[in-house]
Amino acid sequence: MVQQTAFDADVIIVGGGPAGTTLANLLGTYGVKTIVLEREADIIDYPRAVGIDDEALRTFQTTDLAEALLKDMIQNTLLRYHHSNGKMFAEVGPKTKPFGWPRRNLFIQPLTERTVRNGLQRFPHVSLLAGHEVQNLKQDADGVTLTVKTAEGEKTLRARYVVGCDGGRSTIRKLLDIKLVGDTHPWRWLVIDVRNDDRFEPYSAIYCDPHRPCMVIDLPYGHRRFEFRLKHDETEEQMSKPEEIERLLRTRLGPDEKPDIIRARIYTHHSRVADRFGKGRVFIAGDAAHLQPPFFGQGLNSGMRDVMNLSWKLAMVVQGKADPKILDTYEQERQHHAEQMVKFATGIGKFYAPYSYLTEYFRKAFFWLVQRLPSMRDYILQMKFKPLPYYERGIVDHSNAGGKSMVGRMMVQPRVADAEDRAMLLDDAIGKGFAIIGINEDPAAQLTAEDKDYFRQIGTIVQINRSRRGKVGWSADPDTLVLDDLDGVFRDLLLKYPKQRFYILRPDRYVFAVCDRHELSASVKRLRAQLGEPRQEALPMAAE
């Protein structure tokens, strides 16, 4: 007979949408026994989110799904802004790949969700239970017990930790009595999705009109999205009528264009962030933790940042490689950036709808100037204005940063080559755990035997040589991974920061520390102190 305290899983995820299934794939990759509970019987068959960025694709790279997902995406999509007279005044067309992937990509959510869900089938220790709705939860010192409603009746499931990825109306958030702080906007937008659209307009178009701002977004496989902001005196009942939907659609369609309308729905937008990202052994992520207007397509991407941040910490804790205290850093690191992204998306929404034609005139003058300043033009064209996460607190070590450094920021991801001269992206070469990277030097030469043994339990020691250096200066330590800096990115980092020869990367590819050879051993010891001494939780798993 199974003990009452036994666990059904290490982690139970509530919600089988993009954030929940991505987290489950990450935990599956890390070898964590995981259950996903999803209330609906199947994937919702219409698109909601439509954009994914390079940071999110790097997350999917960790769990070997990025290439499969890209097969159904339009990559490097242009974004064009237009005045109320229809004339284009700005274009965003990012071509650089600092994190190894295209920066702006468009997708159809049901297709993407299906690929991510299918990815779970690779892991015998991960299961998704559809038609399971959480009713209640109870925490104790050792774990969390969930009361779950199913078609067959009520049952209980128990896990060491629970993560609520159950959307903006999150049951888990409500059960934890966590508040969403912020505003609900008076703006209402009619969103119309169509298919069988064959026009050649291969970009996202934003029409910044004080009278009727709207967006037209080119999607894969002949789909297109239209979004129109409604006026204050236009009621939901009125604007939901087929003739009104057709009327608005016709303002952006040619006379001979007759695409099929898949759905039309009116949305009210929110700018809200949870006042906490968890309590005890239960956490929230994705829309359960923050809601933002969709104007820069960062809602889903912010959820990807959440689950990437949380996944490796949960894995290290349940596998006895770190102290549970590291889970406190999830909120420390993610809450502030979520607030930044909500403010950014809210500001973009105001930009789409200038207050008056006079405001539009000043914006026109500003962008006329921008087009004539190469640095400003590049700043917009390459999407450098998007706020990137920066961790001042959490699992970071600023001891040797000395002003500007990469500490607390995501490391770039160039191409490297291994000993057989096979080219690959950095993450694919260095593995899925921590990494110490030495530029033109072997980090192992600066570490004690104890430090090396500890670090190799949690990651990889790497030497990246100047491109085509050959065997000169090859690592003397047979367990050090030696790579070739094909793109010259690490060469340029060393030229820019000559005293920062060593980088310690976290599993989510944020930089924990930078240092010279004299400080490397101390940096590893500070990492060990922050992760805490390994601890095994002894309670058993439930019988299969």
Side-chain angles (χ1 to χ4, degrees):
M1 182 175 177
V2 178
Q3 298 179 41
Q4 207 168 17
T5 54
F7 295 113
D8 299 286
D10 289 312
V11 179
I12 292 178
I13 301 165
V14 181
T21 51
T22 302
L23 177 57
N25 272 280
L26 289 165
L27 292 174
T29 299
Y30 295 137
V32 176
K33 186 171 184 181
T34 305
I35 294 174
V36 183
L37 304 179
E38 169 54 44
R39 179 180 59 189
E40 302 297 331
D42 203 352
I43 292 170
I44 297 173
D45 64 352
Y46 54 79
R48 284 92 66 212
V50 294
I52 194 166
D53 66 13
D54 51 347
E55 294 174 72
L57 285 173
R58 194 173 188 180
T59 292
F60 286 117
Q61 179 188 355
T62 300
T63 190
D64 301 320
L65 287 175
E67 292 290 354
L69 290 168
L70 275 178
K71 290 178 181 178
D72 288 319
M73 293 183 186
I74 302 174
Q75 302 173 38
N76 291 319
T77 307
L78 293 172
L79 173 61
R80 290 182 170 181
Y81 292 90
H82 301 78
H83 294 302
S84 56
N85 62 7
K87 185 176 180 179
M88 185 180 75
F89 65 86
E91 181 179 79
V92 176
K95 293 293 189 292
T96 59
K97 297 180 180 181
F99 300 134
W101 298 96
R103 303 193 76 171
R104 190 169 185 277
N105 312 281
L106 296 176
F107 65 96
I108 297 174
Q109 187 167 336
L111 289 178
T112 295
E113 283 199 53
R114 184 66 63 193
T115 300
V116 178
R117 279 202 187 186
N118 288 343
L120 299 179
Q121 298 173 13
R122 300 172 294 168
F123 308 113
H125 50 284
V126 178
S127 57
L128 187 149
L129 305 178
H132 282 58
E133 183 176 3
V134 172
Q135 303 290 301
N136 204 355
L137 68 80
K138 179 183 278 190
Q139 299 194 57
D140 54 51
D142 300 312
V144 186
T145 302
L146 295 175
T147 304
V148 184
K149 179 183 176 183
T150 74
E152 291 75 35
E154 194 173 88
K155 66 179 179 182
T156 61
L157 293 170
R158 185 164 167 79
R160 303 182 199 276
Y161 295 95
V162 167
V163 184
C165 297
D166 49 342
R169 298 177 180 176
S170 170
T171 297
I172 298 300
R173 188 184 66 236
K174 292 172 185 174
L175 290 172
L176 294 177
D177 195 27
I178 292 175
K179 308 300 181 188
L180 275 180
V181 180
D183 301 308
T184 295
H185 302 290
W187 317 324
R188 294 166 301 138
W189 287 74
L190 173 63
V191 177
I192 306 169
D193 288 310
V194 305
R195 64 185 168 207
N196 297 328
D197 180 286
D198 60 357
R199 74 162 75 184
F200 183 73
E201 194 174 279
Y203 50 82
S204 299
I206 313 296
Y207 296 92
C208 304
D209 187 340
H211 177 68
R212 174 86 75 188
C214 75
M215 292 178 272
V216 183
I217 304 170
D218 182 41
L219 296 175
Y221 305 123
H223 289 237
R224 194 175 295 273
R225 170 167 290 183
F226 297 81
E227 301 187 21
F228 301 91
R229 201 178 86 170
L230 302 183
K231 300 174 185 177
H232 289 294
D233 60 350
E234 291 175 331
T235 67
E236 187 165 342
E237 181 182 9
Q238 171 195 354
M239 301 310 294
S240 297
K241 293 179 179 178
E243 59 268 25
E244 289 295 331
I245 294 168
E246 182 71 20
R247 179 180 65 82
L248 283 180
L249 201 54
R250 279 291 142 203
T251 64
R252 292 296 165 191
L253 290 176
D256 298 324
E257 291 183 273
K258 296 180 180 179
D260 301 322
I261 296 175
I262 302 172
R263 66 186 286 267
R265 186 171 177 179
I266 295 172
Y267 287 93
T268 299
H269 298 149
H270 306 275
S271 295
R272 297 181 180 272
V273 179
D275 59 3
R276 299 184 64 175
F277 276 29
K279 286 185 180 180
R281 290 174 170 267
V282 185
F283 305 91
I284 55 174
D287 286 353
H290 39 75
L291 295 169
Q292 60 185 275
F295 301 121
F296 202 67
Q298 285 297 304
L300 179 143
N301 294 295
S302 292
M304 297 299 104
R305 296 183 192 102
D306 291 344
V307 299
M308 187 65 204
N309 186 291
L310 185 57
S311 60
W312 66 268
K313 297 172 183 177
L314 282 169
M316 291 194 77
V317 169
V318 301
Q319 292 170 350
K321 296 179 180 178
D323 189 280
K325 69 180 182 181
I326 70 169
L327 296 173
D328 296 337
T329 67
Y330 167 58
E331 180 178 305
Q332 288 176 359
E333 295 178 351
R334 283 299 307 138
Q335 188 179 48
H336 175 64
H337 184 253
E339 291 170 348
Q340 285 185 306
M341 290 307 303
V342 167
K343 289 177 183 177
F344 179 72
T346 304
I348 290 287
K350 293 177 181 178
F351 176 80
Y352 286 179
Y355 293 112
S356 66
Y357 290 107
L358 179 63
T359 307
E360 185 179 24
Y361 172 81
F362 283 111
R363 185 188 62 201
K364 187 183 299 184
F366 171 75
F367 277 95
W368 179 88
L369 180 63
V370 164
Q371 294 296 328
R372 282 148 185 81
L373 297 173
S375 60
M376 285 292 291
R377 187 171 63 243
D378 183 66
Y379 181 77
I380 291 175
L381 191 66
Q382 300 303 330
M383 285 177 61
K384 295 179 180 179
F385 52 86
K386 186 183 81 172
L388 293 173
Y390 170 60
Y391 302 147
E392 293 186 72
R393 300 185 304 144
I395 303 178
V396 286
D397 177 19
H398 291 276
S399 303
N400 302 303
K404 288 188 176 181
S405 81
M406 291 289 293
V407 174
R409 305 180 192 279
M410 182 178 278
M411 176 60 94
V412 291
Q413 184 181 200
R415 293 180 312 131
V416 294
D418 64 9
E420 283 73 45
D421 204 30
R422 295 174 297 189
M424 63 192 75
L425 289 171
L426 176 68
D427 294 359
D428 294 332
I430 65 178
K432 303 181 190 302
F434 280 83
I436 302 177
I437 293 176
I439 305 177
N440 301 330
E441 288 193 36
D442 182 5
Q446 311 303 326
L447 299 177
T448 65
E450 182 184 356
D451 288 341
K452 286 190 287 186
D453 181 64
Y454 170 75
F455 201 87
R456 283 174 175 144
Q457 292 177 44
I458 64 170
T460 309
I461 297 175
V462 185
Q463 176 178 335
I464 297 185
N465 287 333
R466 189 175 73 247
S467 187
R468 301 315 178 203
R469 186 181 182 187
K471 296 291 183 179
V472 178
W474 202 260
S475 169
D477 192 312
D479 293 324
T480 295
L481 173 67
V482 182
L483 300 171
D484 192 297
D485 182 15
L486 285 182
D487 292 338
V489 167
F490 288 94
R491 172 204 63 204
D492 294 346
L493 277 176
L494 192 56
L495 287 171
K496 187 175 183 179
Y497 307 112
K499 294 183 179 180
Q500 298 175 10
R501 193 171 289 270
F502 297 94
Y503 289 76
I504 300 180
L505 305 189
R506 309 181 339 173
D508 57 5
R509 300 315 172 212
Y510 283 81
V511 178
F512 168 77
V514 297
C515 59
D516 61 19
R517 65 172 64 94
H518 304 296
E519 286 292 331
L520 182 57
S521 183
S523 295
V524 171
K525 287 178 171 57
R526 283 191 286 269
L527 172 63
R528 187 169 183 173
Q530 288 197 32
L531 294 180
E533 289 305 311
R535 231 168 62 178
Q536 289 286 355
E537 295 182 334
L539 291 175
M541 284 288 180
E544 296 291 343

